[in-house]
Amino acid sequence: MKKVLKGNIGYIRYKKTSQLLKSLLGIAIIVALVFIGIKLHGNRNNVITVIAAVTAIPTGKALVGFFMFIKYKSLDKSRADELSKLAGSLLPIYELVLSTKEKAFHADVAFINLENIIICSDSDIKDTTKLEKEIEKFLKVEDIKINVKIFTDEKLFEKRIASISSKDTYTDKDKEQMITIANKLLILNI
């Protein structure tokens, strides 16, 4: 299984698969250690079963990671291509599960330029303004002052992207700044 980095298409599918495999492997190791401990020592009060119990910690962490991602789907490649064409030279980040103080929410895509982060989320968000302000506040701590807008309606999202997309090319310095903004946003990504 090839590793998919945060912000790329296929990240959610990769995380679900990898966390499930880690969980199953951990459970298999735990079961094997318990049986080996009992077989060698005749009871469960031994060092091997203690090791099995300690192995439950990373296994549980992987299982929680799996359950965090189970309700989210990876973005379809053709949909990502459509959005990228619409966005022009804006920097895309795909398949986000952003964690804030209030909640974690899924976003299919975010587009970044030097002034804006435009996010399309299919999550049931009651108050997008509160989440936008929280993301802006986080980025401000990272010395990035930028406007964040979260859309739950795809048509409004596409309209906004079309209005700010630029067919102009950015300088290398501008591209570096946009990548820095993206990397700081990815800190909030699970």
Side-chain angles (χ1 to χ4, degrees):
M1 173 174 50
K2 185 179 175 191
K3 183 173 183 166
V4 179
L5 299 175
K6 288 181 180 183
N8 291 306
I9 297 169
Y11 175 71
I12 290 175
R13 185 177 17 256
Y14 166 77
K15 285 300 280 187
K16 279 196 270 191
T17 305
S18 68
Q19 297 296 10
L20 180 61
L21 290 175
K22 288 177 187 176
S23 299
L24 294 175
L25 179 64
I27 291 168
I29 289 170
I30 291 167
V31 169
L33 286 172
V34 168
F35 280 124
I36 289 169
I38 291 172
K39 185 79 170 163
L40 291 177
H41 298 283
N43 64 30
R44 61 188 173 131
N45 300 329
N46 58 67
V47 173
I48 297 173
T49 55
V50 170
I51 293 170
V54 171
T55 304
I57 297 169
T59 301
K61 181 179 184 276
L63 200 54
V64 167
F66 171 72
F67 285 118
M68 279 291 297
F69 282 94
I70 193 127
K71 64 182 177 180
Y72 305 122
K73 293 190 308 187
S74 281
L75 183 64
D76 183 50
K77 176 80 170 118
S78 61
R79 178 67 177 142
D81 291 342
E82 284 175 32
L83 291 171
S84 290
K85 285 178 188 172
L86 181 66
S89 57
L90 299 174
L91 178 66
I93 304 176
Y94 298 102
E95 299 187 18
L96 298 165
V97 179
L98 296 171
S99 176
T100 63
K101 288 180 184 176
E102 291 294 316
K103 66 183 278 183
F105 69 96
H106 176 252
D108 282 333
V109 65
F111 286 107
I112 298 171
N113 67 12
L114 297 173
E115 299 86 30
N116 300 289
I117 298 175
I118 310 299
I119 300 170
C120 182
S121 176
D122 60 0
S123 295
D124 183 27
I125 301 171
K126 305 282 187 261
D127 186 8
T128 58
T129 306
K130 193 172 187 180
L131 290 173
E132 292 163 0
K133 296 299 177 203
E134 195 171 328
I135 294 169
E136 286 174 358
K137 183 179 174 184
F138 170 79
L139 292 172
K140 195 172 187 180
V141 169
E142 299 288 331
D143 291 327
I144 297 172
K145 184 163 174 42
I146 196 161
N147 298 315
V148 176
K149 181 66 181 157
I150 300 171
F151 289 91
T152 55
D153 181 305
E154 273 193 36
K155 297 298 178 199
L156 291 174
F157 171 75
E158 289 176 8
K159 188 175 178 181
R160 177 69 174 135
I161 290 300
S163 74
I164 66 165
S165 70
S166 170
K167 303 304 177 196
D168 298 335
T169 55
Y170 290 102
T171 66
D172 288 342
K173 185 177 179 181
D174 291 342
K175 289 178 185 176
E176 285 178 27
Q177 180 64 26
M178 289 166 41
I179 290 170
T180 299
I181 294 166
N183 288 333
K184 298 297 182 182
L185 180 63
L186 286 173
I187 292 170
L188 294 174
N189 195 35
I190 296 173

